[in-house]
Amino acid sequence: MKKTLAASLLTFTCLMNAQNWPDTKPPVAEKQNHVRDIHGDKVADPYYWMIDYFKKGKDSTKVVDYLTAENAYVETMMADTKPLQTELFNEMKARIKEKDESVPVYKNGYYYYSRTERGKQYFKYCRKKGSLSAPEEVLLDVDQMAEGKPYFAAAHFNVSPDNTMMTFGVDDVSRRQYRIYLKDLRTGKITDLGIKNTEGDAIWAADNKTLFYTAKNDVTLLSEKIKRHTLGTDPAKDVVVYEEKDKSNYLGVAKSKNQKYIFIYSAATTSSEIRYLPTDQPNAAFSVFQPRMKDVLYDVYPLEEKFLILTNKDALNFKVMETPLDKTGLQNWKEVLPHRPDVLVEGIDEFRNFLVFNERQNGLSQLAILDRKTQKKDFLKFDEPTYTVRPMENPDYNTDNFRFVYTSMITPSSQYEQNLRTGARTLLKQQEVLGGYDKSQYVTERLFATAKDGTQIPLSVVYKKGFVKNGKNPVLLYGYGSYGNSMEATFSSPRLSLLNRGFAFVTAHIRGGQEMGRQWYEDGKMMKKINTFTDFIDAGEYLVKEKFTSPQHLYAQGGSAGGLLMGAVMNMKPELFNGIIAQVPFVDVVNTMLDESIPLTTNEYDEWGNPNTEAAYRYMKSYSPYENITKKNYPNLLITTGLHDSQVQYFEPAKWAAKLRDIKIGNNVILLKTDMAFGHGGASGRFDYLKDVALVYAFLLKLEGIKK
């Protein structure tokens, strides 16, 4: 007699705690005397020495040896899951359409697209002139360029206005330090311009020979300068057209959609400043659009006769203003779209005849279309309870066709084109899930957990039909909650491997993101950061209360600042979770924020605070995962990091793992896996990253006693 699906799912979960860990001792990290002394507070940090590789590079063999020993320990502890990891990798890879092609984008007389080939990890970047039936021109064969390299990223493909040359950036270390190359599209010759340690983006002026790019600090990796380069000249003589003195600001350069202006953006999380230059005057000085104002952000969108400004000045959730092309100061700004307390405006796509506003209301993304002549406003409407919609690349200012992407936790990524004048909508492409994906076999829900202070926390939920809410099934709870980054409800084909084995997956849209508006972010940063962690705990307790799961079957996952979240909730409520995945986790908050030589530290003061100020120091110390380890029975823990991580340095998770092992009680395992060739984003190939996913899933399945 065949088992029902529900019975099968129950069979998966009844083997809880059936896993057997090898009787192998983990590496024991050496302790050295080191004391942090600030604000009258002396704190011992015996694992501080692990920063040595960051300071000395390849001369520091002790750190590498320790990380290698940790990797060997992971291999031993997870050895019995090797067949399962292989099975997971193969089934996830089998869902990916290997020979594929992106939707072509029309720019300046050409259709641009990328295509992938069977068995290849990377892609070809191509174009066709005038028509999709024209002969293909392969601009860059990234598969060929990446051969023999453990990591390779080519990005920021910018073609000159006359269509004869293309710049692009290359990072083959995984530190996000790009070199800029030039390809002559007439001859095929590729030239290293000698411009290194950049963000990778080189912006063309109208003369087809002048480039503007961002230069980074070699040590801190902060973007500090915008330089001007003329083709054929020595890059050592490139002119600095702007230098940012405020170390808390990020710096970038870009060209407007209508191709008339080059913008320099300088921004922190609370204020911004823009400089602009006509593209046909590359040697002129940049003009300040509006000098930076305390706690005011603004962005600029040029139209034919005026600039639009998106700003939060006297408008928490942002409003839209306008100003003449020749009078850009604040005193000339006039309101176009007023502030709405229940709607966050996140961006504008400008066209000659229409404006499309990228908005967020009640935790859901939405697109609003405004006819510039009639002022009529419409919204794109969707039926699913939780979903994500966002603009695609829309580089043509003069078109009436608008492209966007729609997805949900059960709907694969779908790319549409809508005629803004007629409303006609065309599906250009939907992500193919090979092997047969039946959307009707999965369920997505939008729920709300009540936080301790009464705040309603949105949850996006997905599971396979047959999942029984009896408290006995496994749930993976995911969260981030920092920088105002909203976690979207999106489809994941690898995630099907968990759902098909009985897991439910839940994203908690906790404070610190921006899902519910700008105040949602303000209430989860700086001296209110604790809300991020308590929201996540409340979400987990809600799932237990509603019998989605129980603490014996509840798991949590987060990366980077989401790794900080994992460390904090482990300290605050370890008994709520059976296992935790912390990926490239930012867990040594105080020590990192005190060291300005560590990449990106000063850029983060507006997010976490500056611990050189005692109040900020005390508050950070109260939640920093590394600072608050005590003798507790912590959940099983898998930590992943990268030796070359530019965002969260490897030594944070390494120190954290060592200290946890030294202090914790109980028999739950702590595993530290370091990618010795990669950085913050992991492997660069389109299949290799699935090996990391397979390890994570195998860890979760092992804890559940699910063996295949």
Side-chain angles (χ1 to χ4, degrees):
M1 191 167 100
K2 293 183 178 179
K3 293 181 179 179
T4 65
L5 178 58
S8 298
L9 292 174
L10 181 60
T11 299
F12 280 144
T13 59
C14 70
L15 297 173
M16 174 61 199
N17 287 329
Q19 75 277 357
N20 294 308
W21 296 105
D23 185 18
T24 302
K25 300 296 182 184
V28 177
E30 179 183 330
K31 294 183 180 180
Q32 297 181 8
N33 290 330
H34 181 86
V35 176
R36 183 184 73 219
D37 187 354
I38 187 172
H39 304 306
D41 186 32
K42 293 184 178 181
V43 179
D45 186 3
Y47 305 109
Y48 179 82
W49 63 269
M50 292 188 187
I51 200 172
D52 205 40
Y53 183 87
F54 169 74
K55 299 288 188 181
K56 298 180 181 178
K58 294 180 180 178
D59 293 333
S60 178
T61 57
K62 179 188 278 190
V63 173
V64 173
D65 289 345
Y66 173 71
L67 296 177
T68 301
E70 287 281 7
N71 283 348
Y73 178 65
V74 173
E75 288 290 316
T76 299
M77 296 296 281
M78 295 293 290
D80 64 328
T81 71
K82 282 295 185 182
L84 176 58
Q85 289 184 53
T86 300
E87 179 183 341
L88 287 164
F89 174 82
N90 288 336
E91 72 179 49
M92 290 187 289
K93 183 174 181 286
R95 294 191 192 107
I96 298 173
K97 186 178 181 181
E98 294 198 30
K99 187 176 182 180
D100 204 358
E101 188 173 300
S102 67
V103 175
V105 176
Y106 186 76
K107 299 179 188 176
N108 195 24
Y110 286 81
Y111 287 93
Y112 291 87
Y113 59 97
S114 61
R115 59 177 176 83
T116 55
E117 296 181 347
R118 190 175 305 279
K120 300 289 187 179
Q121 289 269 20
Y122 296 90
F123 60 92
K124 275 77 173 166
Y125 185 60
C126 311
R127 72 177 181 182
K128 293 181 178 180
K129 187 175 183 179
S131 168
L132 291 176
S133 61
E136 178 182 81
E137 182 182 356
V138 178
L139 303 184
L140 218 58
D141 187 338
V142 182
D143 288 306
Q144 186 179 68
M145 297 171 69
E147 285 181 4
K149 296 180 173 63
Y151 181 91
F152 191 84
H156 307 294
F157 309 126
N158 289 327
V159 176
S160 60
D162 66 2
N163 293 315
T164 64
M165 294 170 286
M166 181 179 75
T167 59
F168 60 96
V170 169
D171 171 18
D172 57 9
V173 178
S174 190
R175 289 283 284 177
R176 302 188 184 181
Q177 294 173 284
Y178 289 86
R179 295 183 69 95
I180 294 177
Y181 291 79
L182 174 76
K183 181 172 183 179
D184 189 320
L185 302 180
R186 297 159 296 189
T187 66
K189 181 181 179 182
I190 294 178
T191 304
D192 183 346
L193 293 179
I195 301 171
K196 58 184 180 178
N197 196 22
T198 79
E199 296 288 354
D201 217 355
I203 304 301
W204 291 94
D207 63 1
N208 299 294
K209 66 179 182 180
T210 305
L211 299 169
F212 295 90
Y213 63 92
T214 306
K216 304 172 76 168
N217 183 287
D218 289 332
V219 176
T220 67
L221 304 187
L222 297 180
S223 48
E224 293 181 329
K225 301 172 183 176
I226 302 297
K227 291 186 175 183
R228 183 179 67 225
H229 175 75
T230 302
L231 296 183
T233 66
D234 183 355
K237 297 179 180 179
D238 286 353
V239 175
V240 176
V241 297
Y242 178 66
E243 181 173 3
E244 179 54 65
K245 301 296 185 182
D246 187 342
K247 293 184 178 180
S248 65
N249 278 33
Y250 287 92
L251 200 59
V253 61
K255 189 185 293 186
S256 64
K257 179 188 284 192
N258 67 6
Q259 305 295 303
K260 292 184 178 180
Y261 298 97
I262 293 171
F263 291 119
I264 293 174
Y265 297 89
S266 179
T269 56
T270 59
S271 67
S272 62
E273 183 177 70
I274 293 176
R275 286 167 165 76
Y276 67 105
L277 177 76
T279 54
D280 59 359
Q281 301 175 35
N283 294 313
F286 279 80
S287 300
V288 178
F289 192 90
Q290 161 60 38
R292 65 193 68 183
M293 299 169 277
K294 181 176 174 57
D295 297 326
V296 174
L297 293 163
Y298 72 90
D299 205 351
V300 174
Y301 304 85
L303 305 179
E304 308 86 69
E305 76 290 358
K306 60 187 175 184
F307 289 107
L308 293 182
I309 305 109
L310 178 62
T311 181
N312 67 344
K313 180 169 174 54
D314 304 320
L316 180 64
N317 278 337
F318 291 79
K319 61 184 176 182
V320 180
M321 313 282 281
E322 67 179 25
T323 196
L325 294 177
D326 58 349
K327 296 178 181 179
T328 62
L330 176 65
Q331 65 274 17
N332 303 297
W333 295 7
K334 295 181 181 179
E335 187 173 273
V336 175
L337 182 65
H339 174 258
R340 292 161 290 170
D342 61 334
V343 179
L344 173 69
V345 185
E346 295 186 307
I348 305 173
D349 247 312
E350 70 275 27
F351 299 91
R352 183 173 296 278
N353 299 313
F354 294 89
L355 300 174
V356 181
F357 300 101
N358 187 16
E359 301 179 342
R360 189 174 292 274
Q361 185 172 24
N362 196 31
L364 293 175
S365 52
Q366 62 186 27
L367 295 172
I369 303 166
L370 178 71
D371 188 313
R372 291 179 57 189
K373 293 180 181 178
T374 67
Q375 295 300 297
K376 181 183 177 183
K377 192 174 184 180
D378 290 313
F379 292 88
L380 300 184
K381 293 180 173 61
F382 307 97
D383 297 328
E384 291 181 299
T386 182
Y387 61 85
T388 297
V389 62
R390 59 175 175 79
M392 287 176 60
E393 183 182 9
N394 287 284
D396 188 352
Y397 179 76
N398 295 307
T399 185
D400 287 337
N401 292 321
F402 171 72
R403 291 182 173 186
F404 65 92
V405 176
Y406 176 87
T407 182
S408 77
M409 300 185 95
I410 62 174
T411 302
S413 178
S414 306
Q415 301 176 37
Y416 290 92
E417 182 173 86
Q418 180 150 331
N419 186 284
L420 299 175
R421 192 172 299 281
T422 67
R425 183 182 299 180
T426 303
L427 176 62
L428 301 175
K429 181 179 181 179
Q430 185 174 75
Q431 174 190 353
E432 290 188 52
V433 183
L434 301 186
Y437 169 68
D438 183 356
K439 175 180 174 179
S440 69
Q441 294 303 304
Y442 300 85
V443 179
T444 184
E445 295 185 59
R446 188 167 189 252
L447 305 172
F448 288 86
T450 303
K452 294 291 190 295
D453 62 2
T455 301
Q456 296 293 293
I457 311 300
L459 306 178
S460 296
V461 184
V462 64
Y463 50 83
K464 192 169 186 178
K465 282 186 177 179
F467 182 92
V468 180
K469 298 173 186 176
N470 60 7
K472 298 179 181 179
N473 287 310
V475 170
L476 178 57
L477 179 62
Y478 178 83
Y480 187 76
S482 291
Y483 305 107
N485 288 342
S486 298
M487 295 295 100
E488 307 290 9
T490 58
F491 181 79
S492 165
S493 68
R495 189 192 298 145
L496 296 174
S497 292
L498 271 190
L499 303 185
N500 292 344
R501 288 171 170 83
F503 271 75
F505 180 88
V506 181
T507 296
H509 304 285
I510 52 184
R511 281 175 283 189
Q514 210 162 238
E515 288 92 334
M516 301 293 283
R518 185 71 176 180
Q519 191 63 51
W520 203 248
Y521 171 45
E522 297 293 338
D523 287 343
K525 62 180 288 196
M526 299 289 281
M527 306 298 275
K528 296 182 179 180
K529 190 64 201 172
I530 198 74
N531 287 334
T532 303
F533 315 135
T534 56
D535 282 359
F536 192 83
I537 290 171
D538 291 336
E541 291 180 336
Y542 170 84
L543 293 170
V544 171
K545 177 185 174 184
E546 296 298 313
K547 297 191 179 300
F548 275 85
T549 190
S550 63
Q552 294 78 24
H553 300 282
L554 180 58
Y555 303 90
Q557 180 181 17
S560 196
L564 162 62
L565 171 68
M566 296 299 102
V569 301
M570 271 179 54
N571 285 332
M572 296 169 69
K573 200 80 171 179
E575 68 275 14
L576 184 59
F577 306 95
N578 186 45
I580 284 183
I581 312 295
Q583 296 164 298
V584 291
F586 175 43
V587 285
D588 193 10
V589 183
V590 177
N591 289 318
T592 289
M593 295 305 296
L594 281 169
D595 189 344
E596 293 189 12
S597 72
I598 294 174
L600 310 183
T601 289
T602 57
N603 280 140
E604 306 288 299
Y605 286 158
D606 289 339
E607 182 71 20
W608 315 106
N610 183 344
N612 292 293
T613 301
E614 185 170 0
Y617 170 84
R618 299 287 179 187
Y619 190 73
M620 281 184 199
K621 188 184 175 188
S622 74
Y623 68 74
S624 176
Y626 186 66
E627 306 280 335
N628 290 281
I629 297 170
T630 58
K631 289 187 176 181
K632 294 178 181 176
N633 187 15
Y634 285 97
N636 297 285
L637 178 63
L638 172 61
I639 309 166
T640 64
T641 187
L643 184 61
H644 302 294
D645 197 325
S646 59
Q647 311 301 110
V648 179
Q649 307 300 311
Y650 69 89
F651 49 80
E652 291 197 42
K655 291 169 60 179
W656 184 44
K659 189 175 180 180
L660 276 167
R661 285 217 197 95
D662 185 48
I663 296 176
K664 80 175 185 74
I665 59 174
N667 297 319
N668 287 340
V669 301
I670 295 174
L671 305 180
L672 172 65
K673 173 69 166 61
T674 303
D675 282 323
M676 306 302 279
F678 308 139
H680 200 64
S684 55
R686 64 185 176 124
F687 304 127
D688 282 345
Y689 83 97
L690 291 174
K691 296 175 183 177
D692 296 327
V693 178
L695 174 65
V696 168
Y697 286 2
F699 178 75
L700 295 171
L701 295 170
K702 182 178 175 69
L703 292 175
E704 278 294 304
I706 300 172
K707 298 183 179 180
K708 63 179 183 178

